[in-house]
Amino acid sequence: GEPMPVLVYFHGGGFVIGDLNTHDSICRMLTHYGNVVCVSVDYRLAPEHIYPAAVEDSLAAWDWVRTHADEIGADPSRIAAGGDSAGGNLAAILGQHARDKGANLAAQLLLYPVVDFTTQYNSYVEHAQTPPISRPVLDWFWACYFGDKNWQNAEILKHPWVSPILTEDFTNLAPAFVLTAGLDPLRDEGAAYAEKLSQAGVETIYQCVLGTVHGFLRSGKLIPATHDALIAAGNFLRVRMH
């Protein structure tokens, strides 16, 4: 009978693939272990809808949850943002946007997120050919997301709505749970984002799940570490939002 905390969740898929069904298991696990309402967002995908369509949709979804929370049994004062991969990018951007609008989130879950399009991290070199997102696959995703003419445009890639790690101010952001995979090209940028948060005084939990690849959170029946990771993420929500 009481309003519940709410997680606004953005699925991964390089801004090109993925949908509500592909990531339903993640949302259900987080709902269960976090004891939250979960709003899974079906944002527009590239190449039909290039940047910034996905960002605009994520901010609109958050705004809808804020103003319609009572319709879904949610508490508008306890909203978290979460997402994996490309969805982690959207969640990080939303975290900064909410703070800047004076409506800070209660928590943020950033699961092997994309946060920096401008830097060649060591993990990009180490795992350039590691499936499922080898470097050619990543390049294809980014070309779709930004459009063939813009995907290497330095000014676009430096924008905080693209590379949230390049924001000028990390202070006063919501407490964060940042998860990376050990065999993931995106590993080091996720770690760097967690470090930026921590250095700015943001309560941050960082976990790197060794021996796992990008996208492993959708492989619960195959990779036992999936359950442990989602339980940890859910527990983080439960502690921060109840």
Side-chain angles (χ1 to χ4, degrees):
E2 296 294 324
M4 296 283 288
V6 56
L7 169 66
V8 183
Y9 193 85
F10 308 102
H11 68 78
F15 306 101
V16 179
I17 60 175
D19 56 35
L20 301 184
N21 292 326
T22 60
H23 287 66
D24 186 64
S25 62
I26 293 176
C27 293
R28 287 176 180 271
M29 292 277 283
L30 294 175
T31 298
H32 176 69
Y33 289 110
N35 193 27
V36 296
V37 172
C38 184
V39 175
S40 186
V41 180
D42 191 23
Y43 58 90
R44 288 172 292 171
L45 299 177
E48 292 81 4
H49 305 283
I50 64 172
Y51 167 84
V55 178
E56 292 171 345
D57 286 358
S58 67
L59 302 185
W62 167 72
D63 197 50
W64 186 93
V65 170
R66 291 173 66 206
T67 56
H68 295 79
D70 60 327
E71 298 176 22
I72 58 172
D75 180 352
S77 68
R78 292 183 290 168
I79 300 176
D84 62 285
S85 191
N89 175 275
L90 299 174
I93 292 167
L94 174 54
Q96 296 177 13
H97 175 81
R99 182 225 25 214
D100 295 344
K101 293 296 183 181
N104 204 7
L105 299 172
Q108 49 184 333
L109 289 182
L110 308 178
L111 310 176
Y112 35 76
V114 184
V115 291
D116 190 352
F117 284 87
T118 68
T119 304
Q120 180 80 349
Y121 292 89
N122 288 337
S123 56
Y124 268 82
V125 178
E126 293 175 20
H127 300 293
Q129 299 302 321
T130 301
I133 54 165
S134 64
R135 191 55 191 263
V137 171
L138 284 174
D139 288 346
W140 179 80
F141 278 136
W142 307 155
C144 289
Y145 182 48
F146 296 109
D148 289 335
K149 296 181 179 179
N150 295 323
W151 80 280
Q152 292 180 317
N153 183 311
E155 291 307 310
I156 291 177
L157 299 185
K158 290 178 182 177
H159 196 288
W161 273 23
V162 174
S163 298
I165 201 169
L166 299 183
T167 186
E168 295 181 357
D169 184 9
F170 275 85
T171 61
N172 300 316
L173 290 172
F177 180 92
V178 183
L179 180 84
T180 59
L183 306 177
D184 185 354
L186 305 182
R187 180 195 66 210
D188 290 353
E189 65 190 83
Y193 197 80
E195 182 64 21
K196 289 269 192 180
L197 290 167
S198 182
Q199 289 177 349
V202 176
E203 181 183 357
T204 305
I205 295 175
Y206 172 68
Q207 290 187 10
C208 179
V209 184
L210 301 177
T212 57
V213 297
H214 189 83
F216 78 94
L217 292 176
R218 293 175 53 225
S219 304
K221 292 183 178 180
L222 300 175
I223 302 176
T226 294
H227 285 96
D228 294 338
L230 289 173
I231 289 170
N235 286 341
F236 172 81
L237 289 177
R238 185 184 292 268
V239 169
R240 298 307 179 282
M241 299 178 72
H242 283 274

